[in-house]
Amino acid sequence: MALERQVRAKLAGKRDREQEKEAQEWIESILGKKFPPNEAYEDVLRDGQVLCELMNKVAPGSIPKINTSGGQFKMMENINVFQKALKDYGVADTDVFQTVDLWEKKDISQVTTTLFSLGRATYKHPEWKGPWLGPKPADECKRDFTEEQLRAGQSVIGLQAGSNKGATQAGQSLGATRKILLGK
């Protein structure tokens, strides 16, 4: 029990309240409604309904049915369909939180990270007209080198590689010596 409390405290320490506030404001502006003032960020998101509504605004029709009742399994199903819709929209699998991160409030910072990943993914969809969340991802900077240019680079030693002149371990101590005293 004490270990679980320590883990929760450590994860709570990872949370960035400013990012959570930014993500909440982004969701509110897209949905056109505010979170209840007396409810915590993670509690509003926990049943997945708000997340599903958000996804349907970002990618209309991506979640055909949102469960509004039916117990915890139906609410967790909302989270699962939201996660699938995220991946279909272009959010990398590695950026998507685990269901327990939200449902059991194990890692709310990961939920916020996922929302920022969704925000970045919207930049890649020209049909999305905003609002935006997070910085615009950089475009690929593709370079084409000729075979001659590639061969020329093989004979150059990079400055970061440095030099190995005089690199020996001569005079280096391998640690403190131990004296063993034998008692009588």
Side-chain angles (χ1 to χ4, degrees), residues 137-156:
D139 293 325
E140 181 182 29
C141 183
K142 190 157 175 70
R143 308 263 169 96
D144 291 317
F145 295 102
T146 65
E147 284 297 319
E148 184 180 330
Q149 288 171 316
L150 292 172
R151 274 194 300 277
Q154 290 175 346
S155 63
V156 176

Side-chain angles (χ1 to χ4, degrees), residues 13-122:
K14 279 182 18 178
R15 290 178 68 172
D16 183 336
R17 302 295 179 174
E18 281 301 310
Q19 280 191 334
E20 288 178 10
K21 184 176 182 241
E22 196 177 336
Q24 177 179 333
E25 289 170 353
W26 181 66
I27 293 168
E28 290 172 340
S29 66
I30 291 172
L31 297 181
K33 62 183 179 183
K34 296 273 187 198
F35 282 24
N38 55 350
E39 238 183 295
Y41 166 80
E42 62 268 23
D43 293 333
V44 174
L45 301 178
R46 186 171 180 250
D47 64 10
Q49 292 180 50
V50 168
L51 297 174
C52 289
E53 289 174 33
L54 170 69
M55 201 64 223
N56 275 337
K57 290 280 188 176
V58 171
S62 58
I63 300 175
K65 182 178 182 277
I66 301 172
N67 298 309
T68 55
S69 63
Q72 74 179 32
F73 292 109
K74 289 291 184 181
M75 299 302 115
M76 286 177 20
E77 188 177 294
N78 284 341
I79 297 170
N80 291 331
V81 294
F82 168 71
Q83 291 165 328
K84 183 185 180 317
L86 279 173
K87 294 171 191 173
D88 292 345
Y89 191 70
V91 174
D93 192 35
T94 55
D95 289 341
V96 178
F97 66 89
Q98 299 294 311
T99 303
V100 295
D101 291 341
L102 178 57
W103 184 254
E104 295 178 11
K105 302 178 190 176
K106 288 202 181 246
D107 193 354
I108 300 303
S109 66
Q110 188 59 45
V111 175
T112 304
T113 300
T114 298
L115 290 170
F116 271 82
S117 295
L118 173 60
R120 284 191 309 276
T122 60

